[in-house]
Amino acid sequence: MESASELVAFPLLPTPIESNYRACTIPYRFPSDNPRKPTPTEIAWIDLFLNSIPSFKKRAESDASVNDAPAKAETFAQRYSEILEDLKKDPESHGGPPDCLLLCRLREQILRELGFRDIFKKVKDEENAKAITLFENVVDLNDAIEDEGKRVENLIRGIFAGNIFDLGSAQLAEVFSKDGMSFLASCQNLVPRPWVIDDLDTFKLKWSKKPWKKAVIFVDNSGADVILGILPFARELLRRGTQVVLAANDMPSINEVTYPELIEILAKLKDNHGKLKGLDLQIFSLPIPVMICRLLILQACHKSLPTWPVMQT
């Protein structure tokens, strides 16, 4: 269902939000930095986005929904390159100083202006179809793990493995275009614990206590990410009696799953009784309505590196 509720601040954010909160996890610059000179971190991120332009251009060129797509894809590449070079010269240009959010927003703005609504639609549909065929097997494998702690850890590893399907990275996009990505192989190749930020034991301890009344999960990528990573985890929460809400964007960015796509995916996964392997969940487009939530999961929503989920209880 969708919502037209009034926007309110997330209560755990420091107020006033305008001066105390920035939706990025990386310190791109400090107050002592020269505002007219880009920082090394800003340069590194600008270069990262510059390196991704060829893969975006290639996707745009093949977008059959746009007339004269190859020429418009070339225009996109030129315009976006010029903006990124401008930011290197003057970090306060184009709405800067630059961060990941601004760089993404500028890229999507140019694509929209040229008529490209979703240049990753084809690959998203293909990956969703593949992941749907594996969903039941992944769920059954998780259900077969009797030890609750081990089952939770396996589900978290599945979220990590699924999140690798992120075509915003030029390197990952190149690997994907050549060899594809295997969810099961990604699960097996995860970096062993302890991770750089590793609160899994704390989370498992909280999990073992009284179930949360409601959980809101902000989903990220299509394909294995949402279908084989997030949905099995959401289903496990449902089995424990937690009401689960999935929140997705209306408009796409890179290969992120959208609200309409999520509706379509769940329709294909639900059984004859309209349930996900016997259980119910809710879906909202962003912004979501005001609600009391005890577990909030932000799954790589702001493209920080590494893009691991952040759990807030």
Side-chain angles (χ1 to χ4, degrees):
M1 60 182 291
E2 297 187 54
S3 169
S5 297
E6 179 183 355
L7 293 176
V8 297
F10 182 60
L12 295 185
L13 294 177
T15 56
I17 291 176
E18 293 76 13
S19 58
N20 287 286
Y21 174 69
R22 188 181 184 191
C24 289
T25 58
I26 296 172
Y28 294 85
R29 61 171 48 241
F30 297 96
S32 58
D33 290 322
N34 185 343
R36 305 294 295 179
K37 183 179 179 180
T39 66
T41 302
E42 289 170 346
I43 291 291
W45 276 88
I46 291 171
D47 286 339
L48 182 71
F49 276 73
L50 276 168
N51 292 336
S52 73
I53 289 177
S55 65
F56 276 74
K57 178 185 173 185
K58 184 177 180 180
R59 297 281 180 192
E61 287 173 340
S62 61
D63 190 339
S65 68
V66 177
N67 293 328
D68 203 12
K72 291 180 178 179
E74 179 63 34
T75 300
F76 155 74
Q78 291 177 357
R79 284 190 192 175
Y80 194 46
S81 296
E82 290 171 359
I83 287 176
L84 295 180
E85 293 297 342
D86 286 346
L87 286 166
K88 280 187 175 184
K89 299 172 186 176
D90 179 6
E92 294 189 322
S93 64
H94 303 287
D99 57 23
C100 186
L101 293 179
L102 177 64
L103 298 177
C104 284
R105 190 179 299 119
L106 290 170
R107 182 176 59 197
E108 295 302 321
Q109 180 180 331
I110 297 170
L111 287 169
R112 300 283 191 274
E113 289 175 353
L114 292 169
F116 295 104
R117 190 180 188 281
D118 190 354
I119 62 175
F120 289 89
K121 180 63 176 172
K122 183 174 182 293
V123 69
K124 288 197 297 181
D125 288 345
E126 291 171 353
E127 289 306 304
N128 286 340
K130 293 177 187 176
I132 285 172
T133 65
L134 299 174
F135 174 76
E136 190 165 347
N137 182 52
V138 169
V139 168
D140 289 342
L141 287 173
N142 283 312
D143 286 354
I145 302 174
E146 295 183 2
D147 183 271
E148 186 176 57
K150 292 180 179 179
R151 187 167 62 251
V152 172
E153 181 167 342
N154 194 61
L155 288 162
I156 297 297
R157 289 178 177 274
I159 293 175
F160 288 179
N163 193 243
I164 291 175
F165 179 56
D166 187 338
L167 300 185
S169 162
Q171 292 90 341
L172 284 177
E174 184 177 356
V175 170
F176 181 84
S177 64
K178 289 181 179 179
D179 306 315
M181 292 183 186
S182 167
F183 175 76
L184 295 179
S186 296
C187 287
Q188 295 170 358
N189 294 329
L190 285 177
V191 175
R193 295 184 66 196
W195 300 313
V196 176
I197 299 175
D198 194 332
D199 295 321
L200 181 58
D201 291 336
T202 301
F203 180 72
K204 287 163 64 175
L205 181 62
K206 291 185 178 182
W207 181 283
S208 67
K209 297 178 180 179
K210 184 179 179 180
W212 292 281
K213 184 173 291 187
K214 176 176 286 188
V216 178
I217 304 176
F218 291 78
V219 297
D220 191 19
N221 301 316
S222 296
D225 192 1
V226 66
I227 296 171
L228 304 181
I230 288 297
L231 290 182
F233 178 79
R235 179 180 174 275
E236 188 68 18
L237 285 168
L238 290 167
R239 291 176 68 189
R240 289 166 47 83
T242 300
Q243 184 182 1
V244 178
V245 176
L246 300 182
N249 286 315
D250 280 325
M251 297 288 287
S253 178
I254 318 179
N255 60 309
E256 292 177 357
V257 66
T258 63
Y259 173 75
E261 290 166 344
L262 195 54
I263 293 290
E264 183 179 340
I265 289 169
L266 288 172
K268 293 177 180 179
L269 290 175
K270 286 181 177 179
D271 57 27
N272 294 332
H273 302 289
K275 296 185 177 182
L276 184 69
K277 288 282 282 184
L279 299 163
D280 286 318
L281 56 76
Q282 293 178 285
I283 310 173
F284 287 90
S285 62
L286 296 177
I288 62 172
V290 178
M291 59 179 66
I292 298 174
C293 167
R294 299 304 181 191
L295 175 64
L296 177 70
I297 302 175
L298 303 175
Q299 202 232 350
C301 289
H302 299 306
K303 296 289 177 287
S304 59
L305 293 178
T307 52
W308 296 141
V310 177
M311 297 184 182
Q312 173 69 59
T313 58

